[in-house]
Amino acid sequence: MRTGVFFCQVENGKNLNIDAIAKYTANLPGVEFVQILGTAPRIEVNVLTDLIKMKSLERVVIAGDMPGYFKPVFTKAMALAGGNTDEIQLASFKERGASGEYAQDRAKAVIACASMAVPFSLVAVPAGNPVNHSTLIIGAGIAGIQAALEIANAGKQVYLVEQTGTIGGHMAMFDKTFPTLDCAACILTPKMVSVGQHEMIHLLTNSNVTEVTGKPGSYRAKIHQRARRIDVKSCVSCALCVDVCPVKVESEFDAKISLRKAVYIPFPQAVPNAFLVDEKNCTYVLSGGKKCGVCVNKCPKECINLDETDKIIDIEVGNIVLATGYELLDVGKIEQYGYGVYPDVLTSLEFERLTNASGFTGGKIVTKTKRFNKRTQQEEWFFSPDGVPPRNVAIIHCVGSRNKKYNAYCSRVCCMYSLKFAHLIKEKIPNVNCYEFYIDMRAFGKGYEEFAERIKQGGTFVIRGHSAFVTMNNGQMVVRGEDIINDKMVEFKVDMVILAVGLIPASGNEELSRMLGITRDSDGWFSELDYNGSPTDTEKGCIYVAGMCQGPKDIPDTVAQAAAVAAGVLRTITSGKGVGHLSSVTLNEIEARAKNIHTISGGHYVNQS
Amino acid sequence: MSIRVNPRFINDLVLFGAEDVQLCYHCGDCSTVCPHADEVYKFPRKSMRQLQMGLERKIETTLEPWLCYYCGQCSEQCPREAAPGETMMSLRRWLISRYDFTGIAKQFFKSGMTEIITIIGFALLTAVFLFYYGYSMGNIHIYDGKGAFLSSPFIHKFDLTLGSLLLIFLAINAFRMWYFTMIKGTKVPVPWWLYVKELYLLPWHFFTQKRYSECESKRNPKIFMPWIIHLGLMLGYVIMLILVMVFIERLQSGPAIQWQVHIFGYLATIGLVTGTIYIIRNRLNKTYEQYKKSHSTDWVFIVLLFFIVLTGIAQHIFHRTGLYELANITYIVHLMCVVPWLLRMPFSKWAHLVYRPLAMYFAAIRRDAITRREISLKSNSVSIK
């Protein structure tokens, strides 16, 4: 069949060498004519008609990143030239994943298939590798927990790796969830306990993945487990060791607003429910075994072994799930809000710990109190359970989000949790004034808009207009803003400012992406294979993303995605066909297969169904 | 009341320097950081909004662009990098062209080439005239009578003619400004005595530029340099203008120049030299927000002024040291710069010397009128049953 191939790019494809692809295309069987029309061409129908007539083309292949865009023009030209309009084939580079390492070969293969009118998906079937039935899940937040439970409940082995001492992640720190105002712990802790007790889940806390080798279906992972120095099995969490420990450091779990000892349990419901020793701050560990060590003698169960060493664990897995979550943007670099300068300017996570009923103030929302630190000889501000509750609170949305200087993207959850904060403050403190400064209210989910409406009706001052800065006037914080809807400049004296800080990817993501060979987007989140079509898969087979590490999302979406990942993992394990990735198929193979189908079907592939 | 919308206004304004208005998503950060935004005059966000909506007829009645001194804090803060500060600057350029009834200002702002060609044209005309009339016939050290290069009474008359011509243009433009802002733009009744009450603001703002210094009231650390430099440049310029316009005969009255003229001349020169050098350096370095973007008219303004100052000083030195031949030539070059400079005054950035104090004056009157109106509304509240 006389085929003409036209290259029409919509965008400037930097990763593709169109000239080389065109040269390859010219040698394909049946291809009579190849033309590069360039980027965003303006195609004249009559010129095209004459061309099709002159070359007497029977089939036209439109190749490019978005060839469908040009199809109407070619259909018209083909019809005018008296050809068969069904013979217009699209060779779409973007849709077929011609990007990254194998872009050039993939693009060639796509055109080869199109020129023979063979569906690409029919020939580009990767060969199957046998799949190891165990799964590695990196990160044990709500996403990791959910995926682990789904897979383990299906009867498959799961290795759940967590870098802190307990599972639960950020969700364990929250007080309530929006929009239902359910208690976060009530949802999460049963799941955590199930993980801890599940026979199919091998929990590795205090651990990091250091090396991953192998191919889809059979990966080998090296896991570095830092010494916990306390035996998990015999520890009964009696907390006698805490009483004697002399070292005090900021608690990571309490977003650094309270202090903990060097031997600690992050929170009472932690899983595994055992204490651990902070090796970075423990006097015994730091002095190389010469000083301190008082906790060892105090322990009634004799489970503390301060000389325990780190372990390297080698495991073989078939699938890897990334659920590494997020961090907060360092808000100290956005100077105008005075974070770190004025005592009562909090980040969202700090407030979340402050208002949490199991937090160190018992859920009392208070302003900071001054005290004299004898060691540093300086005055310092701290949260005390007997502190004064604030009378006026300002909540500022979009701090660092939707801002070209920090994060250009929307962090997606801030609007809703800020509204939730307003509700909690109103609930806990009588006669409090709460001011929300927002740019756009993004209440996008089920029941969210109603929640936002409810908060607005509930007496919170919701101001459309972002406050740019916080100042201190004679010991009184002042927040200034423009109330755009009411056309006013507003100024409020407040006792507490809560910043809805933007979210950034977890700091270990870069290393992980290099280790696993998967890509991240420009903001640092892991890239999914296709945003709409396969939001849990990555470019590499048998590696999945779940939860925030793929992009900011709320808890329901995270759980849904984690469950979807579990389905994907189980699919590879139970199908029996094995897995492969398109990159394992070479151009020659695709070409040969396409030719084969082409000859069998007599020059034109007919869909058998 | 209806208002006509010009959907292409935002595109037209690109030539005046505002390129990123469309990026604004109205968070209000700029209005919040602006030390000048208050209850009555809320900007720059509101101006950005009016621009996005294409309210050309509304913007020409606003005074907000003139209340901004471009300290650049809004542009530094802007999360969308929509450059609100530069937009206010562009609106000032557009307003100058809008107040100007001849349409020359508009051409100059829209095309830098037109302006430069016009300036070169007038400079060459001046040169030809001076060579023919002055240089071929006389020498600069002869001040009057036969053999004089350009006699001082002649220059004095020439100055006054040119000056009154400019004043007529400026007066008409200022009248248009008053008509747009106070008649079309102020919706509340303005009693005549408010004009008298606030009249003191005109000289006050003209000579102190106090508002410019208030730009720094919220910044930490405060950067007062642009204000001081701007004030020095402006005062130097005004002193020099008065010297040239009114006391040119004393300036040229022979080798013995009066000491008053000397002192004022030197003071003005200090202001002019430091000002022009500071601004040119900053426009090249682009460290401060307000100097990052330079419109062609900004460059023409400051470079031409710099040439005038430079040639003026050179001419003065050559003249005093007796290098008459050189002094003649530098004098001609000096005048080649001065004549186009004077001619384009009402049509250029220079006109803000007049418009800005006027705007402060009008703004105060409008504010008083609005407050007066509100008070009267409150005292005579209408009860609806």
Side-chain angles (χ1 to χ4, degrees), chain A residues 32-249:
Chain A
E32 295 291 326
F33 179 70
V34 178
Q35 193 177 13
I36 300 173
L37 294 172
T39 309
R42 287 185 157 271
I43 304 166
E44 295 281 338
V45 177
N46 24 358
V47 177
L48 204 58
T49 315
D50 294 343
L51 196 67
I52 293 172
K53 270 188 195 162
M54 195 174 74
K55 300 277 176 188
S56 55
L57 300 177
E58 291 167 279
R59 179 182 290 155
V60 168
V61 174
I62 317 167
D65 45 5
M66 281 166 75
Y69 184 75
F70 303 100
K71 198 178 176 186
V73 188
F74 280 89
T75 315
K76 202 168 179 187
M78 198 72 170
L80 284 173
N84 182 0
T85 50
D86 288 344
E87 289 292 356
I88 293 169
Q89 299 286 336
L90 303 182
S92 170
F93 300 155
K94 216 174 191 175
E95 205 177 313
R96 296 297 177 199
S99 61
E101 208 180 330
Y102 307 101
Q104 196 75 5
D105 277 3
R106 188 74 60 84
K108 286 176 184 172
V110 170
I111 294 178
C113 290
S115 72
M116 293 176 220
V118 177
F120 181 74
S121 51
L122 195 74
V123 288
V125 183
N129 304 323
V131 178
N132 190 317
H133 281 210
S134 44
T135 308
L136 169 65
I137 298 178
I138 306 172
I142 179 63
I145 289 173
Q146 182 71 20
L149 283 177
E150 298 275 352
I151 298 165
N153 286 342
K156 302 295 172 194
Q157 175 77 44
V158 174
Y159 295 97
L160 187 54
V161 175
E162 167 61 40
Q163 65 174 354
T164 64
T166 176
I167 63 170
H170 281 106
M171 191 177 167
M173 300 160 83
F174 300 160
D175 183 30
K176 295 275 164 60
T177 59
F178 59 79
T180 50
L181 296 169
D182 289 333
C183 135
C186 309
I187 302 163
L188 185 67
T189 37
K191 284 181 198 272
M192 285 164 63
V193 172
S194 324
V195 167
Q197 293 173 348
H198 210 292
E199 54 185 353
M200 297 308 283
I201 299 178
H202 191 99
L203 191 55
L204 296 162
T205 50
N206 234 6
S207 308
N208 284 82
V209 179
T210 51
E211 196 187 327
V212 175
T213 50
K215 56 186 178 181
S218 56
Y219 289 109
R220 288 182 71 88
K222 257 201 185 105
I223 292 161
H224 176 232
Q225 187 170 35
R226 293 188 302 281
R228 200 184 179 93
R229 294 167 211 269
I230 289 179
D231 186 21
V232 174
K233 280 182 188 133
S234 40
C235 176
V236 290
S237 312
C238 61
L240 286 175
C241 48
V242 174
D243 296 342
V244 292
C245 182
V247 184
K248 270 186 185 172
V249 281

Side-chain angles (χ1 to χ4, degrees), chain B residues 102-314:
Chain B
T102 56
I104 296 169
K106 196 169 190 171
Q107 290 309 315
F108 281 177
F109 278 119
K110 278 190 165 182
S111 157
M113 205 39 93
T114 314
E115 191 180 17
I116 292 166
I117 288 171
T118 318
I119 287 170
I120 292 173
F122 273 99
L124 289 178
L125 270 180
T126 319
V128 168
F129 168 77
L130 288 181
F131 267 102
Y132 178 76
Y133 182 81
Y135 194 61
S136 54
M137 297 204 301
N139 206 323
I140 196 160
H141 65 279
I142 304 167
Y143 298 96
D144 282 308
K146 213 172 159 8
F149 173 62
L150 278 175
S151 68
S152 45
F154 170 82
I155 295 207
H156 190 47
K157 273 174 205 141
F158 179 76
D159 268 356
L160 287 181
T161 327
L162 210 60
S164 38
L165 201 67
L166 297 176
L167 266 182
I168 290 167
F169 274 114
L170 269 177
I172 296 172
N173 290 352
F175 175 78
R176 276 166 66 86
M177 179 187 179
W178 171 78
Y179 175 72
F180 285 142
T181 56
M182 296 311 288
I183 300 297
K184 277 170 79 184
T186 312
K187 296 286 187 290
V188 292
V190 184
W192 62 270
W193 48 267
L194 279 182
Y195 283 96
V196 182
K197 185 191 160 208
E198 303 289 1
L199 195 61
Y200 76 97
L201 284 175
L202 267 179
W204 174 251
H205 279 301
F206 188 86
F207 287 113
T208 63
Q209 298 175 359
K210 175 119 192 328
R211 231 181 123 81
Y212 202 161
S213 71
E214 283 163 12
C215 271
E216 303 302 322
S217 63
K218 282 188 186 175
R219 184 143 47 186
N220 196 15
K222 301 189 188 321
I223 311 165
F224 282 117
M225 209 56 191
W227 165 58
I228 293 166
I229 290 288
H230 189 264
L231 187 65
L233 182 70
M234 194 278 300
L235 288 178
Y237 180 78
V238 168
I239 291 170
M240 206 44 115
L241 194 70
I242 292 168
L243 283 180
V244 170
M245 281 289 175
V246 188
F247 301 106
I248 188 82
E249 283 181 282
R250 293 198 193 169
L251 269 177
Q252 282 205 330
S253 60
I257 299 176
Q258 285 179 349
W259 64 270
Q260 294 100 328
V261 176
H262 246 154
I263 284 181
F264 276 115
Y266 284 137
L267 277 179
T269 310
I270 291 169
L272 284 167
V273 168
T274 44
T276 43
I277 289 177
Y278 177 84
I279 291 171
I280 287 176
R281 242 189 69 195
N282 275 308
R283 285 207 184 277
L284 288 174
N285 287 347
K286 300 186 198 302
T287 39
Y288 295 116
E289 193 62 44
Q290 57 264 56
Y291 299 117
K292 271 182 187 162
K293 278 186 186 172
S294 301
H295 193 252
S296 62
T297 49
D298 295 338
W299 277 120
V300 169
F301 180 90
I302 199 68
V303 171
L304 202 56
L305 186 58
F306 183 64
F307 279 151
I308 290 171
V309 175
L310 217 61
T311 48
I313 295 169

Side-chain angles (χ1 to χ4, degrees), chain A residues 336-337 398 401-405 438-440 464-469 480-482 484 487-490, chain B residues 23 25-29 31-35 37-39 42 45-46 75-81 218:
Chain A
Q336 61 265 31
Y337 294 113
C398 292
S401 304
R402 304 178 68 206
N403 187 330
K404 285 190 177 174
K405 292 186 185 70
Y438 74 100
I439 304 177
D440 294 301
R464 197 247 178 268
H466 195 224
S467 175
F469 65 99
R480 191 164 181 246
E482 189 187 9
I484 291 166
D487 194 20
K488 264 184 194 159
M489 299 300 291
V490 289
Chain B
L23 291 174
Y25 64 17
H26 304 283
C27 60
D29 272 10
S31 307
T32 313
V33 292
C34 183
D38 55 35
E39 268 311 308
K42 291 175 277 286
R45 188 202 63 80
K46 220 167 166 186
S75 295
E76 281 164 22
Q77 284 270 321
C78 181
R80 300 279 294 165
E81 291 172 6
K218 282 188 186 175

